[in-house]
Structures are given as C-alpha cells and as structure tokens.
Amino acid sequence: MKNIFIIMLMFLEMNARGQTKISGHLKDNKGKPVIAASITVKDSYDGATSDSSGNFIFITTETGTHVITIISNDFENYEAPVDLNGDPLTMNISLKPKFNELKAVTVTAGSFEAGDNKRAATVLNSIDIATTAGSNADITAALKTLPGAQQVGNQQGLFVRGGTGEETQQFIDGTLVNNPYYTSVPDIATRGRFSPFLFKGTVFSTGGYSALYGQALSSAVILESIDFPDSTAGNAIVSPIVVGGGIQHLSKKKNFSWGADYSYANPWVYFKIVKQTPDYFDMPEFHSGDANFRIKTNGGIIKYYTTFNYNHLGLRRPDIDSTIYKDAYNIINHNWYNNLSWRQSLNNVWKMNMGLSYSTNRDDIQQQVQDSSNNDKTFNYQPWISKNFHLKSRQDLFQIKEVFEKRLGGLSAIRFGGEYWYGYSPNQYINIDSNYINTLRDNYAAVFAETDIYVANDLALKIGGRYEYSSIIKQANIAPRVSMAYKTGEGGQVSLAYGIFYQKPLNNELFYSTNLGYTRATHYIINYQKTANNRIFRVEAFYKKYHDLVKTFPTYNNSGTGFAKGAELFLRDKTTFKNVDYWISYSYLDTKRDYLNYPELLEPTFAAHHTVSLVVKRFVTKWKAGFNATYTFATGRPFYNFLFNSSAYKYVINDHGRTPNYNSMGISAEYLPSLGKKNAKTFIVLFASATNVLGQKQIYGYNYSYNGLNRQAVMPPANRSYFIGCFLSWGIDRSQDAIDNNL
C-alpha cells in the first residue's frame, strides 16, 4: 500500500511538471483591450479567449518549443515561439489592426460617393436619382438637392460653391465628357444627355477631388458605367412627350453582352396642354440612340458605349429694345459620343485602367430680328445689328488615358498614369458686316500620381499631384492634392482636404485671344461625417480662393480674382420613420468675384447666400406604389446691369438688386402593378411628376435693353411642368430591386 502511495505521488509530480500556465493581456495600438480574440498553442487543443478587459489565462500540457497563435477578426494574426517547460508564461501583446475595407476610414472631404454597396456612406444611386421629385431622372437636377449646388434655372450646368456651370466637369469611366448637356438655349436650362441607369457609381465632388482628374476648377462629377446587365431584357417607354425602347442581351456564360436603345421626343401635345411663354415656331424634336457591348476578360472587362443625338428647335420672344419687333432663335444640334474602357487585373497587386473616348458636337444657330408678321428684318446699327447672326460651331475631342494601380499591402495603394487630349473646334460667325472664321486646336497632356496610405483602419492619407501642359496657351502647371481622414469613433470620422485646381479658358474666350493662361482655384475643406443605422450626417466648411480669372475688359487677360467660403450640412435618414427615406441639405455661401466685364469685386449673379432642400420618399408595398416630394428654398440672387461709360472708359453699374427668394416644390409617384407577381413576364412602372406644384413665381434674373432703361424678368417657359409615362421591361423581374431601393 505504501508503495502504491509513493507511485501516485511520483505520477502527480510528473504531471504537474508537464503543465504550463499561460496568461496575458491583449491590446490594440491605442492601448484599448482586444476582446474575443482566440489564443491557442498551435497544432493543439489548448487555448482560451480574451475577456472584456483583454485578459486571458489557460493551462497546456504541451512541452518543448511551440508557437502561440492569436486570431481576431479585426486584427492581424499574431504568432510567437515559446518554450513550454512548466514555468508560468506571461504574454502582454499589442496587436496590429487588420485593414478592413468595410470598417476603414475613407476620405469624404468635398465629395459625395454613391453606388458602391460596400460603403455605408452611399448617398445617391440610380434609383434615388430617378425617384427624386422634380429631377425627372436628370442627374444634375438630382445633384442640386445636395449641399453645395445652386438653384440656377436659366443656364445649363451645375453651379457649385461660387463656381460657374463651366467650372464643373463630368467624367465617364475616367475620361472627360465634352458636351454632357444638350446645347443651351437663351434663358432656358437644358438637361443632361445621359440616363442615370447607365451608371453603377457616382462621385459628386464639390471640391478636393482626385489627382487622376483635371480641368475642373470647382467640381467634378465622376461616373462609372455598369459592367453587365442582370439578364437579357427588353425595355420601352411610352408617354405624351417621349417614346422609345431597347434591348440588353447577356450571353449564357455571362461573359459578353450587347445592347441598343432609341427614343424620340416631341412636346407638341404637351405644349398644346401646358402653354409656354416662348412662341415655338419650330417644335423641339429630339432623336436619341445608343449602343454598347461588354466583354469579360481573364481578370478584367472591356466596355464600349456610344450615343447619338439629333435635335432642333426654334422660338420667338419679344424684342426688349422695341415694342414691335421679335427675336427669333433656332438651333440644329448633332452630337456623337464614344467611350471605350478596359479594366484589367495584371496580377495580385497590379491593376490597369485604360480609357479611350471621342466626341463631336455640331451646332447650327441662327438668330434674327423679325417684325410683327414674323418677317426677317436687317439692321446695320445697334442695338439690333448684333442680334442678327448665324453661328456654325463644332467641338471635337479625342482622349486616351492610362492608369496603373499597385497595392502596397492592406488597403494602401499607389496609382499613376497619364492622359492626352486633342481638341479641334472650327467656328464661323456671320452677320451683316462680318464673316469671321476661327479654328482652335489644342494638344493637352497630363501625368499624375496618387497614393492611398492607410496608417490604420482609423487613419488614411491621400497624397497626389498632376502636371499639365496645353499647347494652345503654351503653359504648364503643377497641381498638388492632399487629403486625410481620421476615424473618431464607430461610424464617425473627420476629413481634411487641400488642393490646387487649374482649368483652361473657355473656347468662347480663346476665340478672342489665345494669350491667356490657366485659371486657378485653391481649395481648403474640413468635414465631419457620421454613418450609423441607415443614417448619414455630415457637416462641412470650405474656403476657395480664385486666381487668374479671365477678364474681358479692357482686353482679354487673367487679372480676375475671387473667393468663396461657406458651410454645409447634410442628413439622410432611412430609419426614424417606418418605410420613409428623407434627406435634408443646407448650404451657406459667401462669394465674390471680379471677372468678365465686372467693374469690381461683386457677388456673381448665380450665387445665393442660403439654400435648403428637403427630399422625402415613401414606398407603400401594400399599394405597390411610391410617393416622393422635394422642396427647395434659396434666398434671392444678385442681378446687375453694366453700362459702358465712354468718357471714363470703363463699365459702371447702372442697376442692381436681388431677385425674389426661390421656392419650389416637386412631387412624383410611381405605381408598380406587377410588383410581387410570380413569373411576371412584364415589369411595369407607371410614373407621374409635377414641378413647382405650389405655383411660386420663379425669377432667375433680368435682361436689360441696350440703353439700360428697360428690363425683363427671366422666368421659366411655364410656371409648372408635368410628366406622365409608362416604363416597361421584359425578361427580368425587378420587383425586389424596387423594394430594396425604396425602403
């Protein structure tokens, strides 16, 4: 019995010597405890999980040299060799954060991103744009409900933070769109040429955009086209204004697709019902067609898109310089746009993006003074001599762009490349005493580089720059761009951005003189953004300094200056009210500029101090219907009448003031009768909308007579506008898409 007891003691002693207690503490790079991490002896069953304080403890029977492994979802895996000899082992370890695209901070200063479902900060997608009341599926009209945009209804373009419409550029798959809008008509804003459903991603930059893009002084709208359609499908639209249809075909292997669409628009019926202020002697008529193909490569995709537009219209208005004459204006426009892009993964760390585009736009414009019987009148003296003219204008642009990207580890990356543009613009201007012909040619080249540096999930830097050269003005520039973002907590972050942005003078300025230089703007931006529970809140402040703006008097030169500063707020909420999605935006703008023929530093005529938009959307699944409303308010904008004082040889302010406050409410509704039906062969959407339903009187500014004694308010062609239509698609049930994008 005694021997048995001794043997048991010896066994227990040996077993105790074969056990090692391992304990320790896990923390992150900020000293905070790491919770729920798995700590194990590699290739064994011995281990533990860290507690709420980051502490752990366990006992292992393994002996000798082994490896301790620590695994956590949010941190890089950790391994360390240890000697297990029965002596207690204490391990205090600091883990490195794992770079996670879903949790990592992103630079948001000066930009709204949309369409990337991986990002909680998505603001507007294609469904949002189509269902924003008052936009009628126009990308620019929907973007006007976001902070920074001005409510300018008498000129085409997107006016952002004290910038003109020409200072905002649009890019599709990396290349510039030379004519994104239909050609402007005096005192009437034109809509964009492209459907929002062509794009899967949208970045609306109100300043501080990437070094990969240039020639936009104030803002960039960066659009990324869809890759492949969901399936083979047909579509059609029927309304009193427009009819059209098309097809998208997807191969069985889903590695090739092609498509084509055509539409015809003529508002003759609509204008009979809703009377217009101008007298349309040539009814507006629009023919639009587009085609595309997409090919999946080994690790990439090739996409081609082309669109053709032909339109014409003619209208008359009373002549402001007389009581008996009229001004007749008519235009014929041809536009053809082509975009070829190739996105390719070269290996695990290298990617390539290449883009080719070609566009041509031709305008044939005539303006003629007519008498009360609509007969042409010819004058050889002011003020009417300049009102009789014939302008033939053409703008061609060819581009090639190449971007290479290399991953540096985690989410960090470097991108670099170059681009070349060739611009060709012949113009002929004819009136009673002149026949002026001029052709502009420009070879523009740029190289650029940019790096994303992720110090951790909560700190990111973006550093880049561009070098540009334009042959027409024989000047080069260097444009640095720097931005950063710091995560302040769950869903919250602060972003900063700084950059210098250049833009060539406009063609209508270069026609008078090519002895001009780049215009320049320096941007400073800071914002805070919080994203959580289907809510986005952001507040942003900015300062923008203009240099070298073009002055047209006493000669064309770059002596213009200006500034813009302000603050903006945005809130989007899909949670607080059941089945209701709404957003609120507010912009405060203080801006002045001295450019063109301005006699001094003045507030530009397109700028309002305060702008507020409220967009509300409610989708009722039981009724298969959605209801949308948009209300926008903006304080009055300044207006001026400049007259030339010959004795002092300068322009003076003859009249000035502010327009009435801008108020507009738009509503729309869609009904989906096939929603929820199993095996529905046709997906139907009935849509109706109305703008300015409250009938507010909109005055965008004033036109003045030649002597400055008379003025006429610039107003919309009609106080209200309406649209009804039926959209049909075959081959794909989009019911769930409609629900997911509206709830």
Side-chain angles (χ1 to χ4, degrees):
M1 188 71 176
K2 182 178 179 180
N3 292 335
I4 294 174
F5 180 71
I6 292 173
I7 292 172
M8 290 178 64
L9 287 176
M10 292 175 62
F11 175 79
L12 290 172
E13 182 180 0
M14 291 173 61
N15 191 48
R17 288 178 180 175
Q19 291 181 339
T20 300
K21 183 175 73 171
I22 302 175
S23 61
H25 177 76
L26 303 182
K27 62 181 180 179
D28 62 15
N29 58 344
K30 293 183 178 180
K32 296 181 180 179
V34 175
I35 303 170
S38 173
I39 306 97
T40 60
V41 178
K42 193 172 184 179
D43 299 325
S44 80
Y45 295 101
D46 299 333
T49 300
S50 59
D51 61 20
S52 59
S53 299
N55 298 319
F56 65 90
I57 184 171
F58 67 94
I59 294 175
T60 179
T61 58
E62 300 290 336
T63 60
T65 301
H66 285 268
V67 174
I68 297 295
T69 298
I70 302 175
I71 298 175
S72 172
N73 289 334
D74 297 325
F75 296 88
E76 299 289 346
N77 293 347
Y78 176 89
E79 289 189 347
V82 294
D83 184 22
L84 304 178
N85 56 15
D87 295 333
L89 180 64
T90 301
M91 305 179 71
N92 295 317
I93 300 168
S94 178
L95 298 180
K96 294 181 179 180
K98 182 186 295 183
F99 292 105
N100 186 316
E101 188 173 3
L102 296 178
K103 296 183 178 181
V105 67
T106 58
V107 176
T108 58
S111 67
F112 288 87
E113 297 192 20
D116 185 352
N117 293 328
K118 295 179 292 184
R119 289 292 182 202
T122 294
V123 178
L124 299 183
N125 56 35
S126 56
I127 294 290
D128 284 326
I129 292 172
T131 57
T132 297
S135 73
N136 286 332
D138 180 39
I139 296 173
T140 295
L143 293 178
K144 285 183 178 181
T145 66
L146 297 181
Q150 295 289 298
Q151 306 303 312
V152 179
N154 57 324
Q155 301 177 58
Q156 71 177 26
L158 192 57
F159 294 72
V160 178
R161 289 183 173 175
T164 68
E166 293 88 356
E167 292 175 19
T168 296
Q169 303 286 10
Q170 292 188 17
F171 301 84
I172 295 180
D173 291 335
T175 57
L176 176 73
V177 182
N178 203 27
N179 302 95
Y181 303 96
Y182 290 97
T183 303
S184 62
V185 177
D187 297 334
I188 300 176
T190 53
R191 62 179 288 125
R193 297 181 185 272
F194 302 103
S195 164
F197 294 101
L198 173 66
F199 307 106
K200 67 176 181 179
T202 304
V203 175
F204 172 39
S205 166
T206 52
Y209 58 87
S210 165
L212 273 60
Y213 303 92
Q215 294 303 298
L217 203 61
S218 290
S219 175
V221 179
I222 302 168
L223 306 165
E224 184 181 0
S225 65
I226 62 172
D227 291 342
F228 286 97
D230 296 326
S231 70
T232 296
N235 66 85
I237 177 175
V238 180
S239 82
I241 297 176
V242 59
V243 294
I247 184 172
Q248 296 294 319
H249 177 79
L250 180 66
S251 67
K252 291 183 179 180
K253 294 183 179 181
K254 297 186 177 182
N255 59 357
F256 174 75
S257 73
W258 61 268
D261 291 270
Y262 168 78
S263 66
Y264 171 74
N266 188 321
W268 182 82
V269 174
Y270 176 79
F271 284 0
K272 289 292 183 182
I273 300 171
V274 181
K275 299 301 181 182
Q276 306 291 300
T277 300
D279 171 22
Y280 284 93
F281 62 87
D282 182 10
M283 191 58 58
E285 192 174 28
F286 296 81
H287 296 268
S288 301
D290 63 70
N292 64 80
F293 69 78
R294 303 173 179 93
I295 303 172
K296 183 179 291 185
T297 64
N298 184 18
I301 185 172
I302 297 173
K303 298 186 287 187
Y304 171 72
Y305 175 77
T306 182
T307 181
F308 175 79
N309 295 283
Y310 164 75
N311 64 87
H312 62 86
L313 66 86
L315 54 81
R316 294 188 188 92
R317 291 189 175 101
D319 180 70
I320 195 172
D321 288 295
S322 71
T323 58
I324 59 174
Y325 296 137
K326 306 174 186 178
D327 294 329
Y329 176 95
N330 68 284
I331 180 173
I332 299 173
N333 171 255
H334 297 80
N335 180 274
W336 185 33
Y337 173 78
N338 300 267
N339 186 299
L340 176 67
S341 65
W342 180 17
R343 187 176 72 243
Q344 183 71 40
S345 293
L346 303 178
N347 53 38
N348 291 333
V349 296
W350 281 96
K351 293 181 180 179
M352 178 198 74
N353 285 276
M354 186 182 76
L356 286 169
S357 70
Y358 170 75
S359 63
T360 181
N361 185 84
R362 289 184 294 156
D363 292 311
D364 191 333
I365 299 172
Q366 294 188 63
Q367 181 164 301
Q368 184 69 45
V369 177
Q370 296 181 339
D371 61 21
S372 58
S373 300
N374 300 330
N375 297 314
D376 293 348
K377 299 289 293 183
T378 302
F379 303 88
N380 60 0
Y381 53 89
Q382 295 290 7
W384 295 285
I385 186 173
S386 59
K387 297 182 182 182
N388 290 342
F389 66 84
H390 185 188
L391 174 63
K392 294 181 179 180
S393 174
R394 176 176 171 179
Q395 306 95 40
D396 290 3
L397 182 64
F398 168 80
Q399 303 172 70
I400 181 171
K401 185 175 184 178
E402 189 85 20
V403 182
F404 293 94
E405 177 178 322
K406 182 182 180 181
R407 288 289 177 181
L408 302 177
L411 298 178
S412 297
I414 184 171
R415 287 174 292 276
F416 59 90
E419 58 186 317
Y420 167 75
W421 304 357
Y422 174 69
Y424 172 70
S425 299
N427 287 266
Q428 183 179 18
Y429 177 86
I430 305 169
N431 69 6
I432 192 172
D433 63 354
S434 65
N435 186 347
Y436 181 69
I437 299 175
N438 192 5
T439 299
L440 299 177
R441 290 183 175 87
D442 186 33
N443 293 277
Y444 165 88
V447 292
F448 46 79
E450 180 179 83
T451 182
D452 294 332
I453 303 173
Y454 280 81
V455 181
N457 274 336
D458 52 10
L459 179 62
L461 302 173
K462 188 186 291 286
I463 303 172
R466 289 178 65 89
Y467 169 83
E468 303 173 320
Y469 176 78
S470 168
S471 67
I472 195 169
I473 59 176
K474 298 179 177 62
Q475 287 191 12
N477 68 66
I478 297 177
R481 317 271 170 87
V482 181
S483 55
M484 67 162 289
Y486 176 72
K487 198 170 186 177
T488 57
E490 188 64 31
Q493 66 175 55
V494 173
S495 292
L496 301 168
Y498 160 82
I500 297 177
F501 302 85
Y502 291 92
Q503 188 169 348
K504 293 186 302 180
L506 304 177
N507 279 353
N508 60 6
E509 296 165 342
L510 291 171
F511 284 134
Y512 289 96
S513 175
T514 57
N515 294 320
L516 295 171
Y518 290 104
T519 56
R520 175 165 56 101
T522 305
H523 296 228
Y524 304 87
I525 304 168
I526 181 172
N527 84 4
Y528 171 77
Q529 179 167 298
K530 173 78 172 180
T531 305
N533 301 322
N534 263 333
R535 295 188 184 96
I536 302 171
F537 170 79
R538 62 183 279 157
V539 59
E540 184 162 297
F542 67 91
Y543 177 77
K544 180 165 57 174
K545 179 64 177 176
Y546 285 103
H547 311 266
D548 306 323
L549 296 179
V550 173
K551 293 280 292 181
T552 60
F553 182 84
T555 61
Y556 279 77
N557 61 76
N558 285 100
S559 63
T561 61
F563 71 87
K565 58 184 178 181
E568 299 164 355
L569 181 147
F570 178 80
L571 170 67
R572 183 169 188 179
D573 182 0
K574 296 184 177 182
T575 301
T576 302
F577 306 103
K578 185 177 180 181
N579 295 339
V580 173
D581 174 16
Y582 73 92
W583 67 80
I584 301 171
S585 69
Y586 166 74
S587 302
Y588 167 72
L589 175 65
D590 177 15
T591 181
K592 289 184 178 181
R593 58 169 56 195
D594 179 10
Y595 79 135
L596 302 181
N597 66 338
Y598 278 36
E600 59 188 79
L601 198 67
L602 298 170
E603 291 182 60
T605 57
F606 49 78
H609 284 305
H610 304 277
T611 304
V612 182
S613 288
L614 170 63
V615 178
V616 181
K617 303 183 180 188
R618 172 78 159 91
F619 194 84
V620 184
T621 305
K622 182 179 179 180
W623 295 353
K624 304 179 182 180
F627 305 92
N628 318 294
T630 299
Y631 177 75
T632 299
F633 168 85
T635 53
R637 306 200 312 260
F639 63 85
Y640 309 99
N641 174 231
F642 302 139
L643 285 183
F644 182 67
N645 186 322
S646 57
S647 60
Y649 197 70
K650 66 177 183 179
Y651 279 92
V652 296
I653 300 176
N654 175 64
D655 188 27
H656 67 93
R658 303 195 80 88
T659 64
N661 293 338
Y662 175 90
N663 289 273
S664 181
M665 181 174 181
I667 60 173
S668 67
E670 61 270 3
Y671 173 59
L672 292 69
S674 54
L675 184 66
K677 290 185 178 180
K678 292 184 178 180
N679 303 318
K681 295 182 179 180
T682 304
F683 186 75
I684 304 170
V685 178
L686 301 176
F687 183 82
S689 69
T691 63
N692 195 29
V693 292
L694 300 180
Q696 300 283 347
K697 187 177 182 181
Q698 312 292 3
I699 296 179
Y700 299 125
Y702 293 91
N703 290 325
Y704 285 83
S705 61
Y706 184 77
N707 58 16
L709 298 178
N710 300 321
R711 75 181 189 190
Q712 291 177 348
V714 178
M715 303 173 66
N719 202 28
R720 298 180 179 90
S721 64
Y722 308 90
F723 179 83
I724 58 173
C726 177
F727 302 87
L728 306 100
S729 61
W730 300 270
I732 182 170
D733 181 3
R734 297 191 179 276
S735 301
Q736 196 58 46
D737 290 344
I739 295 173
D740 292 343
N741 285 290
N742 284 281
L743 299 184

